[in-house]
Amino acid sequence: MAAKEKIRSKDRVKKPVKENGASAMAAAKEKTRSKDHVKTTAKKSEAPASGHATKRSETAHRKVPDVPEKQKEKQQSKTSEPISSKQLSVLRGEEAVFPRGGGSVLTPLEYRQIKVDAQRDVLFEQSGKGTKRKPSEEDETEDEAPDSGVPSTRRKRSKAKTRAAPVEPQAEESPVRIEGLAFSRMVPGTLVLGQVSQITTDDIGLAIPNNLTGFVPITAVSKQVTDRIPVPSAENESDQSSDGEATEGSKIDLSKLFSIGRYLRACVIAVRTGPLKDGAARGKRHVELSVDPRLANRGLSKTDIVSNVVVQASVVSVEDHGLVMEVGLSDASIRGFMPSSEIPGDVEFSNIEPGTVFLSVVTGQSSNGKVVKLSANVAKGGKGKKGKLTNETPTIDAVLPGTAVEMSVLEVATTGVAGKIMGTVDAMADVLHSGATSLNANLAIQAKSGQKTLCRVIYAYPKAEPKKVGVSLLRHVRELSAIFFKDEDGAPIHPLKALPIGVAVECAKVIKVVSHVGLWLDVQRKDILGFAHISTVSDQRIEKLSESTGPYRVGSEHVARITGYNAIDGFYVVSLEDTILKRPFLRIEDVKVGQVIKGTIQKLIRKGDSVTALLVKLAPGITGLVPGIQFSDVKLSHPEKKFKEGGAVKVRVLSNDLERKLLRLTLKKSLVKSDLPVLQSYEEDIPSGSRFVGTIVDLMHSGAIVQFFGPVRAFLPRADMSEGEVDDPRKDFRLGQVVTVQVVSMDPKKRKIVVSCRDTPTSAAAQDHGKKTKRAREGGEETQEEKKKPKTKEVSEEDGLEVAGFDWTGETLDHRDDDSISDEPGAEAVRPNRKKRRGVAIQVDRTGDLDARGPQSVADFERLLLGEPDSSVLWIQYMAFQLKMGEAEKAREIAKRALGTIDIAEEDEKMNVWIALMNLENDCGSDESLQEVFTRACQYNDAQTVHERLITIYIQSGKHEKADALLQALVKKFSQSPAAWLNYATYLMMTMEAPDRARSLLPRATQALPAHQHLEITLKFAQLEFNDRGGNAERGRTLLEGLIATWPKRLDIWHILLNLEIRRDEKDRVRALFERIVSKGLKARKVDSFFKRWIEFEETQLAEANGDPDAVKRVESVKARAAQYAREHK
C-alpha cells in the first residue's frame, strides 16, 4: 500500500504547482526520490515550481511516447471549460503508466526504492518538517463560519506576510486547513454532493453542505431533458392559454425524473447575491447548479473509469433489461449501461424516463472499454462494504463528491478533523460534518489521529492546489440515506413533518457553542439538533459567542423558531431573533387560502393613468397581488384616492400559486367578512346544497362563471341566478360581483360544478315579493351597496355559553343593553340599529318596544319592507305581529318570504331569520318541524353556529335534556373546535352542576384536538374549576401546576394562576406564588413586572387593613427586594 501511495505521490507532481507554501514544498519532495531525500528537498525548494513541473512532464513524455501532445491538449480543453486547464492532470492519456490488470512499468528495484521513500515521506510529514503552509490558511480556520461566508479579517494581512518572508513550519499546525463549504468560497466549477429537497415545474432544489441550498434549472438537468424542451412560440402559448393543454415542453415532469431524498453530484454554474430587501443586512443568496453528467463528471477521463469510481449518469434510453446511460466524458462513444437489477429500490423501472439522472458506481467495463457497467447502489461504499471504496484510482481526479473513501486522520481539533486520502489528497471534515455537533457526540472516539476512518467526499474546489476535498463522517451521508423519525407504528416521518417550518420550540436548550459560528440547540426531537447561525441568534449584531458566560451559554434555554431543515447536514435551521419569532409567516407556503390577514400597501400598479392592481406586503419578503376586480364591492372610479402606499388594509387570500410564488388577494368586504366555508379544491367532498361565496368573473347569455378560492370555478345557469326572471345576465349582473350560491351538482373527475343562487325553501309568495323588491331597487345598485344598511349585531362566542338566546319577539332583552334604548317613543321603529350597541350577546333591535306610531297592520309592515327588504329586524317584527294575532302559520310563511327576499350577500340577516324560525318552531311547532328547520338552517348557514344557537334556545326554554343531547352531537361533529368542548364543559359545570361529566371531557378534547391546542384547552378547563358551582379549586391548581412544570417560562400561565388566587382572596397562596416567580431565574425585565404587581397587591392589602403595621412591613419588604434585584441586574 505504501508503494501505491508513493506512485500516486509521483503522479501528483505532474500537475502544475505554485511556488510558495505547501504546494512548492510538495513539488520539491516529489521531484526527488533518492535515499538522501530530506536534504535534497530543502535545497531544491527554492527553485521555481514551473521548472519542476516542466522537467517532470518531460519525464512523463519519455515514458509514454505514443500519446501525442496535441491529443492531450485536446482532451484537457474538452473537459475543463470553463475551469482553468491548470487543474487538469497531465496523466489523462497515459494508459501505459497504469495498465488494466494491475501491471507496472517499474522494475522490482525501482518499486522497492519507491516503497522505502514513501515510508520515509510519511514519517517526514508526521513530524511536521515536510510541509509548509500559508499562514492565511491557519488564520482563517476559526474566523469564518461553516456556512456564513464571512471572510477572515486577517487573511490579507497574512498573505502580505507570506510574500515578505518565508514562514517557518510549526509542528502543532494542522497539515490541512479545516474549513467548511461556504458561499463566499464557492466559484463556478465547484463540485458538491447534494440531496434533492424540493421539486417544482421549472427546477429542483438541492440541499448542499453547510446549510446551503442550490437550484438546478430544468435546462441544466441533462442533455436528454434539454433536447425535449421546445423553443417557445406564440402559437404554443395561445394554445396553452385557450385550451388549457400543456405544450410539449411543459410535459417534462421533474417529479418523475427525481425523488425527494436522492443524492446527486452537482457543479456550481453561478453564485450571486440579490439586492437588499426589507432592511435585510444582505441580499438573498442564489446558487445555480447543474447535475448534467458532462459537468458533474468534470475532471474524469477514460483512464479514470475503473471499478468503484463514482460517476453521474443520465438515462439515454430504456431497454428491456436495463438503461443506456450517458457518463459525460469527452469521448462521446463511451456509454454506460445499468442493468434493471441495479436501479434504486425506490424507483419503478417502468416509470423511468430519458433524462433521469443517477449517481452511480462503476462495476466493470466491456472488453473494448466502450461500455461502462454501472450500479445505482452507491451507498454500499459508505457502509464499509469490502471492495466498494475508491482507494485505488489512476489519478486523484477520480476523488469527486459522492465517493466513499478511507481517510487517514492526522489531526482532531475543535473545528473538525483533517487527514489524507490515499496518502496524497488533503481532506477535512468541518465542525458540522465531523460529527462533533451530534447529540452525545464524542469526536475523540469517532476519529483518532493515526487511524483510518470511513467518510464520503462532499465537495471539491476546482482551483485548490494542492488538491483538497471536504468529507463527511456523518452516518447518513456515508450511507447516502435520509434521516427520518418513526411514529408509533414504525412508519417513517420526515423531520419537517415532526417539526414544520414556523413552529416555535419553547424551551430549546443550548448544548454546544462555537464562538464565531453559532449555537446548537436541543429542539426536543431525538437525534436531530437545531442550529442557529451567529447572525440569527439576536436582532442585535453579535461578534462572538461564549459557551460559559452570557445569555447564550451552554445550558441556557431560549424560544427558537424552525426556519428550515438541511437534509444533508442533518439539522434543523432555527432562529432566536425576536423579529422572526413575531412574524406571522416565514414563507409563502405558510399563507393559507381563505385566511384573513392585515397587510400594508406596498405599491400601486398602474397602466397608463389608471390603477389596475395593488401590491400588498403581508410579511417581510411575502407580498400578494390585489387585481382591480377585487378592490371593492362597488366599482371605484378613482382607486388611487382610496388606496395609498403605506396604508394598512385587511385582505383575504383567494389563491396561493406556489409554483409562481404568487398570492392573489381581495379587499372586497363581502369576501373578507364572509363566514361561509372556503371552497378551494375540486376534490373536496361537498354535498349538494352546500353554500359558498364566490365572484362572477364571466357573464354570458346562458349564465355566469363564478370563481371561488384557489382554481375552483362553477357555472351558474341563467335560470338559477335569481328568484325572479333574468332576461340578460350581462345587464342584471356585473363582473366582480360577489354572490352566495349553493351547489346543485358536482363532478370532481371532470372538474365541473353547477351552482344556484335560488333558495330552495322559498315559497311562491316569497318569489313574488322578491320580484317587487327587485324592481324597487333597479337602477340604484351601486348606491344601495355604498349605503350603510341596518344590521343586527353579530353573535359573540365569548365566555362559552354565557350568550343570551335570540329572542325573536323582542320582549326578553339582555339587561346589559337597557341603557342603550332611547326613551323617545318610536325612536327605533324604522332604523333600529343606528344606536350604539354594547355587550357580547346576540342582540336584536328592540322591536317589542314599538308604540302606537309603529307598524300596527299588515299594510304597515309591507310598506316598511319595500324600503328595507334586507332588514331581518322588520321581518322578525312582522312574524311576532302575526303570532300575537294567533297566526302561527302566517308567521312561518313570512319567515320563508324573508329568506327568499333578503339579499344573498346579507348572511347575518338571513341567519337571524333562521334563528327566529327555530324559536317559533320550538314554541309553537313539533319536534319534527323544529328538526326540519334546524336541518335546513345547517345547510344554508355555518352548521356549528346553528347548533350553538339551537342549544341556547333549548337552555332558555328549560329543555335541558335536548340541550345536553345536542351538545353531545356538537362535540362529535365539531371535535376540532376548542369552543365546542369548552361550551359543553361550561354547561355541565355551571348549569347542570355535573362536574364529573365536565371533567371527563378534557381527555377526550386533548385526544381530538391538535397538539398545539392542548395547552389552551387545558388552561380553560383549569379556570373552570375555580367557580363555586361544582368546581374544585384544588383540582384546578393541580392542572395549572402541571402546565407550569411543562412550560416554566410561559408567563401567561403564572398570570392566570395569580389572577385566580387573588380572585379567591388566597393571600398566603398569592405571596407564595410571587416568591416562586421572582426566584425562577427569568429575564430581569419580566421579573421587574412581577415585582410591580406584587407591590400593588401588598398596597391593596394595606389599604384594606387600614394601616396595619404588619401590612406596612410587607409593602416595605417587597419594595426593598425589588430595589435590590434591580441593582444586581443592571
Side-chain angles (χ1 to χ4, degrees):
M1 180 60 72
K4 294 178 181 179
E5 292 178 352
K6 183 64 180 180
I7 293 170
R8 297 189 191 97
S9 299
K10 293 183 68 177
D11 297 338
R12 182 58 185 268
V13 298
K14 298 179 183 181
K15 288 180 172 286
V17 294
K18 296 182 181 181
E19 182 176 359
N20 57 351
S23 302
M25 204 67 187
K29 289 195 300 179
E30 301 290 354
K31 186 173 186 304
T32 61
R33 296 298 178 192
S34 62
K35 293 182 179 179
D36 54 350
H37 171 75
V38 178
K39 296 180 181 180
T40 308
T41 301
K43 293 179 180 180
K44 293 191 176 183
S45 62
E46 300 175 359
S50 60
H52 297 301
T54 304
K55 195 167 185 179
R56 195 65 193 156
S57 179
E58 291 172 358
T59 306
H61 281 294
R62 286 198 298 271
K63 287 185 178 181
V64 194
D66 56 328
V67 182
E69 181 66 22
K70 290 183 178 180
Q71 181 178 341
K72 290 195 288 183
E73 293 176 355
K74 184 177 180 181
Q75 291 176 356
Q76 292 179 5
S77 63
K78 286 184 178 181
T79 59
S80 62
E81 285 186 332
I83 305 172
S84 172
S85 60
K86 292 182 179 181
Q87 302 168 48
L88 303 177
S89 172
V90 296
L91 292 179
R92 291 282 165 84
E94 300 178 8
E95 296 186 17
V97 178
F98 295 96
R100 294 179 61 83
S104 174
V105 297
L106 300 175
T107 65
L109 183 61
E110 290 175 327
Y111 183 87
R112 182 177 179 183
Q113 181 63 45
I114 290 173
K115 182 177 180 180
V116 172
D117 291 344
Q119 292 174 346
R120 181 179 299 160
D121 283 347
V122 172
L123 296 174
F124 184 78
E125 291 172 356
Q126 290 180 349
S127 65
K129 299 178 181 179
T131 305
K132 290 185 179 181
R133 297 188 301 108
K134 301 177 184 179
S136 61
E137 294 179 349
E138 182 70 22
D139 292 342
E140 194 185 356
T141 301
E142 297 189 55
D143 283 350
E144 187 168 287
D147 61 333
S148 66
V150 181
S152 168
T153 56
R154 293 177 284 178
R155 179 183 290 182
K156 293 184 179 181
R157 189 163 60 250
S158 300
K159 287 184 177 181
K161 291 180 180 179
T162 302
R163 298 189 190 98
V167 179
E168 293 298 328
Q170 298 179 5
E172 69 274 14
E173 291 185 350
S174 169
V176 179
R177 175 179 126 207
I178 302 176
E179 63 183 7
L181 185 68
F183 181 86
S184 61
R185 289 191 287 270
M186 278 198 293
V187 295
T190 302
L191 295 178
V192 295
L193 179 66
Q195 189 180 20
V196 178
S197 60
Q198 179 184 351
I199 303 175
T200 68
T201 55
D202 300 323
D203 58 24
I204 62 172
L206 284 186
I208 56 180
N210 293 67
N211 194 25
L212 295 171
T213 300
F215 293 91
V216 182
I218 193 172
T219 55
V221 171
S222 63
K223 179 179 181 298
Q224 293 74 30
V225 171
T226 304
D227 291 343
R228 291 169 58 186
I229 301 175
V231 177
S233 62
E235 183 179 354
N236 286 342
E237 293 178 359
S238 62
D239 289 344
Q240 184 173 356
S241 61
S242 61
D243 300 334
E245 297 179 357
T247 62
E248 183 70 21
S250 63
K251 289 183 180 179
I252 301 176
D253 188 353
L254 291 178
S255 63
K256 295 181 179 179
L257 304 183
F258 299 95
S259 58
I260 300 295
R262 181 180 300 177
Y263 282 84
L264 296 170
R265 180 188 298 158
C267 178
V268 176
I269 298 176
V271 181
R272 55 182 176 270
T273 303
L276 299 180
K277 291 182 178 180
D278 297 321
R282 65 187 181 198
K284 188 175 181 180
R285 294 170 166 182
H286 185 84
V287 180
E288 186 173 336
L289 303 172
S290 171
V291 295
D292 192 320
R294 294 172 294 177
L295 292 177
N297 294 333
R298 185 180 295 279
L300 292 179
S301 65
K302 178 181 178 181
T303 56
D304 295 322
I305 307 301
V306 297
S307 294
N308 299 329
V309 167
V310 177
V311 299
Q312 191 131 295
S314 60
V315 177
V316 176
S317 63
V318 181
E319 306 299 335
D320 293 338
H321 302 291
L323 308 173
V324 177
M325 313 286 286
E326 180 185 358
V327 292
L329 300 182
S330 58
D331 187 351
S333 63
I334 299 177
R335 290 292 178 94
F337 181 77
M338 183 181 293
S340 58
S341 59
E342 296 294 338
I343 66 171
D346 61 338
V347 178
E348 190 69 32
F349 180 75
S350 59
N351 294 334
I352 297 177
E353 297 182 6
T356 305
V357 179
F358 294 110
L359 191 65
S360 314
V361 62
V362 177
T363 59
Q365 292 187 10
S366 62
S367 57
N368 61 1
K370 294 296 184 180
V371 178
V372 180
K373 297 178 182 179
L374 302 174
S375 170
N377 195 1
V378 187
K380 287 184 178 179
K383 298 177 181 179
K385 301 293 184 182
K386 188 175 181 180
K388 293 296 181 181
L389 297 178
T390 309
N391 286 332
E392 298 182 12
T393 60
T395 69
I396 60 177
D397 294 321
V399 183
L400 296 178
T403 305
V405 295
E406 279 187 343
M407 178 178 69
S408 298
V409 178
L410 299 182
E411 181 180 346
V412 178
T414 57
T415 55
V417 178
K420 283 189 177 293
I421 300 172
M422 300 185 298
T424 58
V425 181
D426 292 334
M428 59 272 185
D430 63 11
V431 67
L432 297 179
H433 283 270
S434 63
T437 58
S438 303
L439 278 172
N440 304 318
N442 190 336
L443 194 55
I445 297 176
Q446 295 177 7
K448 292 184 179 180
S449 180
Q451 292 186 351
K452 291 186 177 181
T453 185
L454 189 64
C455 56
R456 194 174 290 275
V457 179
I458 55 175
Y459 63 88
Y461 290 118
K463 298 181 180 180
E465 195 60 47
K467 183 180 178 72
K468 57 184 175 182
V469 296
V471 297
S472 177
L473 277 61
L474 301 180
R475 180 176 179 178
H476 70 279
V477 179
R478 295 199 320 261
E479 299 180 359
L480 296 182
S481 60
I483 299 178
F484 288 99
F485 299 116
K486 291 186 178 179
D487 61 12
E488 297 177 354
D489 300 327
I493 302 176
H494 192 275
L496 282 181
K497 293 290 185 181
L499 270 184
I501 293 176
V503 169
V505 181
E506 294 293 335
C507 300
K509 186 176 182 180
V510 177
I511 65 169
K512 186 176 180 64
V513 178
V514 178
S515 59
H516 294 287
V517 178
L519 310 173
W520 279 264
L521 304 100
D522 183 356
V523 292
Q524 304 168 13
R525 286 296 182 271
K526 184 180 179 182
D527 297 334
I528 300 184
L529 295 177
F531 171 69
H533 186 261
I534 190 172
S535 62
T536 64
V537 169
S538 172
D539 290 321
Q540 285 75 37
R541 181 177 178 84
I542 296 178
E543 298 292 341
K544 186 178 180 181
L545 297 166
S546 173
E547 64 178 7
S548 58
T549 61
Y552 305 105
R553 61 188 179 277
V554 173
S556 60
E557 293 184 353
H558 308 273
V559 179
R561 193 171 188 184
I562 306 295
T563 59
Y565 172 74
N566 189 289
I568 200 164
D569 293 330
F571 60 66
Y572 289 106
V573 184
V574 302
S575 174
L576 278 61
E577 300 166 279
D578 286 339
T579 54
I580 298 297
L581 295 177
K582 294 176 181 177
R583 278 189 192 177
F585 313 107
L586 297 181
R587 51 183 187 153
I588 193 173
E589 288 85 349
D590 299 333
V591 183
K592 305 303 180 185
V593 173
Q595 193 169 3
V596 178
I597 309 169
K598 292 182 179 180
T600 305
I601 298 176
Q602 184 169 299
K603 184 179 180 181
L604 275 63
I605 301 175
R606 300 175 182 270
K607 187 176 181 181
D609 295 333
S610 60
V611 177
T612 58
L614 301 176
L615 195 63
V616 177
K617 178 182 175 182
L618 306 179
I622 300 178
T623 57
L625 185 72
V626 182
I629 198 174
Q630 296 293 340
F631 281 174
S632 175
D633 287 310
V634 295
K635 186 176 181 180
L636 300 177
S637 302
H638 301 282
E640 65 277 4
K641 294 182 179 180
K642 182 175 182 179
F643 304 116
K644 304 293 182 181
E645 292 184 2
V649 290
K650 182 182 287 187
V651 298
R652 193 169 193 182
V653 182
L654 294 177
S655 64
N656 187 349
D657 190 340
L658 297 179
E659 296 291 343
R660 298 166 59 194
K661 301 292 183 184
L662 176 63
L663 289 170
R664 193 165 60 92
L665 312 173
T666 182
L667 286 164
K668 291 177 178 287
K669 291 185 178 180
S670 54
L671 289 174
V672 173
K673 294 184 177 181
S674 174
D675 294 328
L676 289 176
V678 174
L679 178 57
Q680 58 176 317
S681 172
Y682 289 100
E683 284 71 34
E684 295 182 32
D685 185 14
I686 302 171
S688 296
S690 300
R691 299 176 71 247
F692 301 97
V693 64
T695 306
I696 295 177
V697 294
D698 193 12
L699 287 168
M700 55 200 78
H701 183 70
S702 58
I705 302 297
V706 179
Q707 174 85 50
F708 299 102
F709 294 84
V712 181
R713 292 188 173 193
F715 177 64
L716 175 60
R718 183 181 65 179
D720 291 320
M721 294 184 75
S722 174
E723 300 293 348
E725 294 183 3
V726 176
D727 297 328
D728 189 350
R730 289 166 290 192
K731 294 181 180 179
D732 296 333
F733 294 84
R734 71 177 188 282
L735 292 179
Q737 183 174 341
V738 176
V739 292
T740 301
V741 298
Q742 59 183 353
V743 175
V744 176
S745 64
M746 182 174 183
D747 189 340
K749 293 182 179 179
K750 295 182 180 180
R751 299 168 69 88
K752 291 184 178 180
I753 304 176
V754 178
V755 296
S756 171
C757 287
R758 296 171 62 89
D759 204 347
T760 51
T762 306
S763 63
Q767 294 182 23
D768 294 339
H769 190 75
K771 293 178 184 178
K772 295 178 182 178
T773 57
K774 178 178 180 295
R775 286 194 296 268
R777 287 182 291 173
E778 278 182 353
E781 188 174 0
E782 274 193 28
T783 306
Q784 188 71 12
E785 287 183 358
E786 289 176 340
K787 173 183 172 182
K788 185 175 180 181
K789 300 178 182 180
K791 296 180 182 290
T792 59
K793 279 200 169 180
E794 297 182 356
V795 176
S796 172
E797 295 184 2
E798 294 183 13
D799 302 322
L801 289 177
E802 295 179 4
V803 289
F806 190 100
D807 178 43
W808 56 271
T809 64
E811 295 176 356
T812 305
L813 304 174
D814 188 342
H815 67 86
R816 285 174 291 183
D817 289 331
D818 287 343
D819 57 350
S820 66
I821 306 299
S822 174
D823 293 329
E824 182 181 347
E828 300 284 277
V830 179
R831 301 184 182 274
N833 61 341
R834 292 277 184 172
K835 291 286 183 180
K836 183 178 179 180
R837 302 287 192 269
R838 296 183 301 169
V840 298
I842 302 175
Q843 297 173 7
V844 183
D845 294 67
R846 284 14 181 209
T847 56
D849 289 342
L850 293 174
D851 63 1
R853 288 182 292 177
Q856 296 295 309
S857 65
V858 172
D860 291 340
F861 280 106
E862 293 290 349
R863 176 177 51 80
L864 291 174
L865 287 170
L866 284 175
E868 294 188 73
D870 293 333
S871 172
S872 61
V873 173
L874 289 177
W875 286 106
I876 293 169
Q877 290 175 2
Y878 198 3
M879 292 170 63
F881 172 80
Q882 292 290 356
L883 197 60
K884 287 179 181 179
M885 303 294 293
E887 299 288 344
E889 189 59 35
K890 288 186 178 181
R892 290 188 181 95
E893 291 178 1
I894 291 170
K896 293 177 181 179
R897 276 184 58 194
L899 294 173
T901 304
I902 296 175
D903 193 284
I904 54 178
E906 300 295 338
E907 299 166 10
D908 294 335
E909 304 294 325
K910 284 199 171 190
M911 170 66 86
N912 291 340
V913 176
W914 279 110
I915 297 173
L917 187 55
M918 287 194 295
N919 267 290
L920 185 148
E921 296 297 342
N922 181 61
D923 289 340
C924 305
S926 62
D927 290 344
E928 291 75 18
S929 63
L930 176 57
Q931 183 62 38
E932 181 184 356
V933 172
F934 170 71
T935 302
R936 286 162 49 199
C938 289
Q939 291 177 350
Y940 301 120
N941 302 274
D942 179 73
Q944 183 176 353
T945 303
V946 175
H947 276 74
E948 292 170 349
R949 299 303 163 261
L950 182 54
I951 290 168
T952 306
I953 292 171
Y954 279 150
I955 293 173
Q956 291 185 334
S957 59
K959 298 179 180 180
H960 293 292
E961 290 183 0
K962 291 184 178 181
D964 196 350
L966 193 55
L967 276 164
Q968 292 184 39
L970 179 73
V971 296
K972 288 181 180 179
K973 188 170 184 178
F974 305 99
S975 60
Q976 297 293 305
S977 171
W981 294 99
L982 181 61
N983 285 345
Y984 194 12
T986 305
Y987 170 76
L988 291 173
M989 184 79 77
M990 307 289 288
T991 304
M992 301 299 293
E993 296 185 4
D996 291 336
R997 290 184 61 194
R999 292 169 189 140
S1000 67
L1001 293 178
L1002 180 56
R1004 291 174 55 191
T1006 54
Q1007 186 176 3
L1009 294 171
H1012 69 273
Q1013 293 180 341
H1014 289 181
L1015 171 61
E1016 194 65 27
I1017 194 68
T1018 307
L1019 273 174
K1020 296 294 185 183
F1021 271 73
Q1023 294 175 67
L1024 201 57
E1025 292 285 356
F1026 281 81
N1027 78 85
D1028 295 326
R1029 299 177 62 182
N1032 186 329
E1034 196 58 39
R1035 187 183 294 270
R1037 293 187 187 100
T1038 302
L1039 287 174
L1040 290 171
E1041 289 292 349
L1043 296 177
I1044 288 173
T1046 306
W1047 291 280
K1049 302 292 181 69
R1050 285 288 299 262
L1051 301 184
D1052 54 339
I1053 305 177
W1054 290 101
H1055 278 297
I1056 289 172
L1057 183 53
L1058 274 171
N1059 291 338
L1060 292 170
E1061 298 291 5
I1062 292 172
R1063 192 179 303 166
R1064 292 180 64 86
D1065 200 23
E1066 297 280 357
K1067 300 181 180 62
D1068 292 337
R1069 290 182 181 274
V1070 172
R1071 294 186 178 104
L1073 273 176
F1074 278 122
E1075 287 284 354
R1076 289 173 57 190
I1077 295 171
V1078 298
S1079 304
K1080 199 67 181 174
L1082 301 174
K1083 293 182 178 180
R1085 176 174 51 84
K1086 297 177 180 178
V1087 174
D1088 287 342
S1089 66
F1090 278 101
F1091 268 119
K1092 290 179 182 178
R1093 189 172 180 189
W1094 193 356
I1095 293 171
E1096 291 174 359
F1097 170 77
E1098 296 295 353
E1099 287 177 343
T1100 302
Q1101 300 304 313
L1102 174 61
E1104 294 176 356
N1106 297 320
D1108 181 74
D1110 292 337
V1112 174
K1113 289 180 181 179
R1114 282 192 290 268
V1115 173
E1116 296 302 326
S1117 175
V1118 176
K1119 288 183 177 180
R1121 290 185 59 181
Q1124 182 181 356
Y1125 184 89
R1127 289 193 298 269
E1128 292 175 353
H1129 294 80
K1130 280 187 177 180

